[in-house]
Amino acid sequence: MRFVVRTFDNPARIAIREEYMQAHLDYLAENDQEILVAGSLRESPSNSPTGALWIIEAESESRAMQLVERDPFFRKGLRNNYELLYWSKAFPHLVIV
């Protein structure tokens, strides 16, 4: 199943991003068979991130939630909430890169 995850950052915990960025990137790399696409979201290119968007391919909703909640940014408190939605990809012949 495919899922889209929208995470929301806790503005009071922004310093966590710098401190745990490498651990976060390592986590994404370790799970790249399931976390297909990941990246920060910003209100404008020059603003700081307000959260992130992931596209996940997982066997279940509970597995997708595990992936989100085991991310160092989530465990350390940068992410204060997230939205998990099932995703039906249009144009199945196009590859996500």
Side-chain angles (χ1 to χ4, degrees):
M1 287 180 257
R2 287 204 176 110
F3 300 89
V4 171
V5 178
R6 165 70 162 102
T7 64
F8 302 90
D9 287 356
N10 180 345
R13 307 292 306 256
I14 296 301
I16 290 170
R17 181 180 311 284
E18 186 174 325
E19 185 176 351
Y20 290 95
M21 178 59 80
Q22 191 58 55
H24 167 70
L25 294 175
D26 291 345
Y27 179 79
L28 294 175
E30 290 165 10
N31 292 283
D32 67 355
Q33 295 299 305
E34 294 174 289
I35 303 171
L36 306 179
V37 177
S40 63
L41 295 171
R42 303 159 190 263
E43 292 177 6
S44 74
S46 60
N47 285 25
S48 296
T50 59
L53 179 84
W54 292 4
I55 297 175
I56 294 176
E57 179 82 38
E59 63 190 32
S60 65
E61 181 178 5
S62 62
R63 175 60 182 152
M65 291 171 68
Q66 258 184 358
L67 287 164
V68 174
E69 293 174 10
R70 289 181 178 172
D71 174 24
F73 279 177
F74 189 88
R75 289 184 307 119
K76 299 297 182 180
L78 174 61
R79 311 285 196 220
N80 65 356
N81 199 3
Y82 67 92
E83 179 179 41
L84 179 73
L85 301 168
Y86 288 88
W87 182 46
S88 300
K89 180 177 174 272
F91 307 110
H93 64 284
L94 296 179
V95 176
I96 300 170
V97 290

